[in-house]
Amino acid sequence: QVQLVESGGGLVQPGGSLRLSCVASGFTVDRVAIGWFRQAPGKEREGLSYISSFDDKTYYADSVKGRFTISRDSAKNTVYLQMNNLQQWDTAVYYCGAAETLATILSPDYWGQGTQVTVSS
């Protein structure tokens, strides 16, 4: 069974940090592209960051560039999203998705269930 499971969300103060995890089963994360997305209440889903297969090339949306970092741990079959300097507008449900290649990462073949990130003072 192919599955992605996100974790690491929670409540954090503005300026704080969180690290999200996306653990894959049924496939290895080194062989696919992985993306992180978020959706806030009343808003459309937003693509945040992507990592390509094998070579670990990374890409970031302007809204998170310089604050978020995506990485892959092959031994744990996990992709992370390190989020620094979080602000209230970062509050959303965060999802990871997997696609065969980076070219199709905006339409992932598989999604995780999401993890809630709330930034509040």
Side-chain angles (χ1 to χ4, degrees):
Q1 181 181 6
V2 174
Q3 189 175 29
L4 297 171
V5 179
E6 302 97 334
S7 63
L11 176 65
V12 65
Q13 293 182 329
S17 299
L18 287 172
R19 188 178 72 162
L20 305 183
S21 299
C22 176
V23 181
S25 60
F27 63 95
T28 58
V29 297
D30 285 351
R31 301 177 70 87
V32 299
I34 301 290
W36 283 98
F37 307 80
R38 69 185 179 191
Q39 188 165 19
K43 296 186 177 180
E44 298 296 319
R45 186 174 62 243
E46 178 187 11
L48 303 177
S49 182
Y50 318 106
I51 187 166
S52 62
S53 57
F54 297 105
D55 60 6
D56 287 344
K57 291 183 177 179
T58 58
Y59 305 85
Y60 299 94
D62 289 341
S63 60
V64 304
K65 192 175 299 181
R67 298 190 298 131
F68 292 9
T69 303
I70 192 170
S71 62
R72 190 194 325 256
D73 186 333
S74 298
K76 297 181 182 293
N77 207 33
T78 299
V79 173
Y80 301 98
L81 185 68
Q82 178 67 45
M83 306 186 296
N84 297 327
N85 193 25
L86 286 162
Q87 303 298 318
Q88 291 183 3
W89 54 86
D90 294 313
T91 296
V93 178
Y94 285 69
Y95 301 88
C96 61
E100 182 179 354
T101 68
L102 193 63
T104 57
I105 192 59
L106 296 182
S107 298
D109 300 303
Y110 302 99
W111 289 98
Q113 83 292 338
T115 185
Q116 176 71 47
V117 172
T118 302
V119 185
S120 177
S121 60

